Amino acid sequence: MRSSLMKEGLTRVPHRSLFKALGLTDAELERPIIGIVNPKNEVIPGHVHLDTLAEAVKLSVSAAGGTPLVFPTIGVCDGIAMGHVGMKFSLVSRENIADSVEIMATAHPFDALVFIPNCDKIVPGMIMAALRLNIPSIFVSGGPMMPSFSTGKKLTLSNTFEAVGMASVGKLTDKEVKVIEDESCPGCGSCAGMFTANSMNCMTEAIGLALPGNGTIPAVNAKRIRLAKEAGTQIMRLYQNDVKPKDIVTADSLQNSLKADMALGCSTNTVLHLLAIAHEAGLKLSLDDINLISKATPHLVKLSPAGPDCLVDLDMAGGVYGVLKRLDALGVLNRDTLTVTGKTLGENLAQAEIKNPEVIREPKTAYSPDGGLAILWGNIAPDGAVVKKGAVLPKMMVHKGPARVFDSEEECTGSLLAGKIKPGDVIVIRYEGPKGGPGMKEMLTPTATLAGMGLDESVALITDGRFSGASRGASIGHISPEAAAGGAIGLIKENDIISIDIPANKLEVEVDEKELNERRKTFKPLEKPVPAGVLRRYRKMVTSANTGAVFEDY
């Protein structure tokens, strides 16, 4: 029992006394101590209700013979942090969350952990911590938000961002904007579409660290509370059988999650986070591996922002396991991987159902024969770039146009709203990568503004930053190496011709190598001033997006 380190023997009299100050009895101290990681706060809609789930977990852990103790982590709401300096801190929080859980669970050696994540960086940060600690762990997310139906059509957070662009070109009145603002986010939960939070909660289920239903049961559904109770019971079984995260997260289960990712058309951020998770697990994963999986996996589901359906529709259609069942019929899954149910993926699939083939399509009616994400390479991105191919309009899959170059997201947004971006342009936003930002900001404000203005039909955007899962259009991110690290995106000049060919996985600037080499001779990367603190430390330690923006080994 790991918790023996802090509670058994004569030398632990002070420790037991401190636990008794919490009201714990001798009987409770004799039981396994189960940590419950609850990032509940009153800032993030996806987290505001997590106390309800934590209480459900506590009840079932106690009933199964454990002693539950709750502790928190921080969280950043990407939607609220979007478009200002706060977004620099979002990806940074992933490492902070992993570190804080490691600190708490090592300083107070728990026997097992139940993680209750819900939003963008909280999910991967907690998975990284679970792998680093490698003690029995299970995940139960807070669940997705419902869409709004109040206007007669589904509204989600992405509608609010796109409303900015629509209003700026006179497509919406102030009254219509106010209705979208008031109605799009009707209650608690991670935002209703296949954005990053829900993408990662689905990945947690597909990789085997969460029970079936984790990624899709709505936050407001009582099934979510029952799932939390089941997770509390199951963590005690995992503890008794000494099943650890690294027994579950293997090369095979990681491949399963990536195949689910491609079939679901998840956020481009899943690439960033799954690379970091693989690194934490000691597994090798590259953008080449991800592209091979994408090429061999059909795109079966289109959720907001790529399509009209939301997570609740996927849940009613059969959930993540319904998608896995489709993939299993193709013979592409590793069925023998272990999951937190105590059973293999193949055994779990025996209970899966596909209830709506319009939401979870068959391979013969797939949206495309390959996956919802694609990796691009070329002289701009020799180490790769990522695009959510499933959310790109067909006419923009191949595009060529003059570069409109900006050294920050804010510069770009200002030009957009001033009407300075024209059809056919290719927006280049650089110095927003992990080091350059620093923090690798999401670019939902410019991508949603483009979509709202109707320019997503004719304008592409490339960046060494990244995108919210709510972004759509020909938005290509994670360009590596980034400009701040001397990457070729820093060499692009205004009106250089940028060539994009997503089916061919190509991203090029049409400037010959001799000219690029001449530019390199005088190129000095811009270094944005950063005050002392977490961002300065982050800049010194973080690696490129193609590695998952993990910290350098030291």
Side-chain angles (χ1 to χ4, degrees), residues 170-232:
K171 291 183 179 180
L172 289 175
T173 65
D174 290 348
K175 184 177 179 180
E176 289 170 327
V177 171
K178 185 65 163 60
V179 170
I180 292 171
E181 176 185 322
D182 289 346
E183 302 294 340
S184 293
C185 297
C188 66
S190 46
C191 300
M194 189 54 89
F195 313 150
T196 304
N198 292 324
S199 294
M200 288 308 302
N201 283 326
C202 288
M203 292 302 93
T204 308
E205 185 177 337
I207 209 168
L209 287 171
L211 296 171
N214 177 74
T216 58
I217 296 172
V220 295
N221 194 317
K223 288 196 294 184
R224 177 63 57 181
I225 297 174
R226 296 199 295 272
L227 189 72
K229 290 180 178 178
E230 291 170 13

Side-chain angles (χ1 to χ4, degrees), residues 99-134:
D99 290 348
S100 68
V101 175
E102 178 192 7
I103 289 166
M104 283 294 293
T106 307
H108 318 98
F110 298 108
D111 295 301
L113 294 170
V114 180
F115 292 87
I116 310 178
N118 215 31
C119 292
D120 293 24
K121 309 309 163 298
I122 294 90
V123 187
M126 288 186 176
I127 296 174
M128 291 162 69
L131 289 162
R132 192 180 301 172
L133 290 161
N134 203 34

Side-chain angles (χ1 to χ4, degrees), residues 380-404:
I380 300 174
D383 292 340
V386 185
V387 62
K388 189 172 183 175
K389 179 174 70 68
V392 178
L393 292 171
K395 64 169 68 175
M396 291 298 291
M397 296 294 280
V398 177
H399 179 76
K400 187 181 291 189
R404 304 300 310 282

